Amino acid sequence: TQLLEQSPQFLSIQEGENLTVYCNSSSVFSSLQWYRQEPGEGPVLLVTVVTGGEVKKLKRLTFQFGDARKDSSLHITAAQPGDTGLYLCAGAGSGGGADGLTFGKGTHLIIQP
Amino acid sequence: EAGVAQSPRYKIIEKRQSVAFWCNPISGHATLYWYQQILGQGPKLLIQFQNNGVVDDSQLPKDRFSAERLKGVDSTLKIQPAKLEDSAVYLCASSLTDGIPSLPGNTIYFGEGSWLTVV
């Protein structure tokens, strides 16, 4: 079983601050995805990272995949209340093909105005 | 484009009763997933279908859970008899194919979920 550990579990910061959340595993993943889930909704895909060391930017969000493809981070610059939500990382197995995603427990993020 | 549709949105049942959830995936999506998300945790895959065949049901508690996708489109997930620990959100998701999720055509889209409370 491939486990993904996310930290911190909870984070509450003021609007305008920067933050980083982490996703770590002892296993290698062929790809890793970040989702954002709002209350009462299903997860929505933010980004997929595939190559070790890859960095992707989505407006104020920066995603990085570790060189060894075992960990990832999500950095948010100048956080806004609209960023509030549950951030989930999910890994696809190194076997490729028909692998369901393995999700972490998520980071609950609250941005206070 | 219509998203993944699920019903009912909310269900409260007593333990030992049965419940069924329905899912209509995005049109043309061959792969359908059922995930269980317990409060405070990430989603856990219960079962994955490719058209009307089961690809992975290794984490489905088969003594009480069953799922089918008879015509390769809609799917139902049934729990009988329900236990208190089955209280969770049941998320249905779909993707075009069952290929590597990193490929754009294989993005997994989630429904809003069916919230189950077992009392």
Side-chain angles (χ1 to χ4, degrees):
Chain A
T1 302
Q2 297 170 316
L3 295 177
L4 283 166
E5 300 286 339
Q6 290 192 242
S7 62
Q9 197 172 352
F10 298 95
L11 183 60
S12 179
I13 62 172
Q14 294 294 125
E15 181 178 2
E17 294 184 2
N18 302 331
L19 67 108
T20 302
V21 298
Y22 301 92
C23 175
N24 296 296
S25 174
S26 58
S27 302
V28 175
F29 289 96
S30 59
S31 65
L32 197 140
Q33 301 184 319
W34 284 92
Y35 290 80
R36 179 165 162 264
Q37 185 176 21
E38 295 190 50
E41 305 288 333
V44 176
L45 179 66
L46 294 174
V47 76
T48 300
V49 286
V50 180
T51 306
E54 182 177 4
V55 177
K56 281 191 173 179
K57 290 191 176 183
L58 186 67
K59 297 184 180 178
R60 293 176 294 100
L61 278 61
T62 302
F63 304 85
Q64 186 164 6
F65 201 13
D67 291 339
R69 303 206 322 270
K70 292 183 178 181
D71 55 86
S72 181
S73 64
L74 158 60
H75 182 79
I76 301 179
T77 303
Q80 298 177 1
D83 296 327
T84 293
L86 175 65
Y87 288 81
L88 295 158
C89 68
S94 53
D99 288 291
L101 293 173
T102 299
F103 281 87
K105 291 187 176 182
T107 292
H108 295 262
L109 176 63
I110 296 174
I111 309 300
Q112 300 179 22
Chain B
E1 179 182 278
V4 177
Q6 292 189 244
S7 67
R9 279 296 311 250
Y10 306 95
K11 191 75 176 179
I12 301 175
I13 62 172
E14 295 183 349
K15 58 184 179 183
R16 291 187 290 273
Q17 286 187 326
S18 63
V19 63
F21 301 112
W22 172 83
C23 173
N24 185 16
I26 293 174
S27 178
H29 280 195
T31 308
L32 185 146
Y33 312 80
W34 283 101
Y35 282 85
Q36 179 194 56
Q37 186 174 21
I38 293 173
L39 186 65
Q41 298 186 16
K44 182 184 82 171
L45 179 68
L46 292 176
I47 189 167
Q48 177 182 343
F49 292 95
Q50 179 68 12
N51 295 309
N52 61 349
V54 175
V55 172
D56 182 0
D57 63 356
S58 57
Q59 297 194 86
L60 186 73
K62 298 180 185 63
D63 57 332
R64 299 183 299 104
F65 286 65
S66 63
E68 59 184 15
R69 193 186 185 199
L70 294 176
K71 297 182 179 179
V73 181
D74 294 4
S75 176
T76 56
L77 175 70
K78 296 179 181 178
I79 307 174
Q80 181 179 13
K83 292 185 175 182
L84 297 177
E85 58 261 36
D86 297 332
S87 294
V89 180
Y90 290 87
L91 294 163
C92 180
S94 70
S95 61
L96 271 176
T97 72
D98 69 341
I100 301 171
S102 59
L103 297 178
N106 298 335
T107 297
I108 297 174
Y109 296 89
F110 286 84
E112 292 180 322
S114 292
W115 293 64
L116 174 65
T117 300
V118 182
V119 297

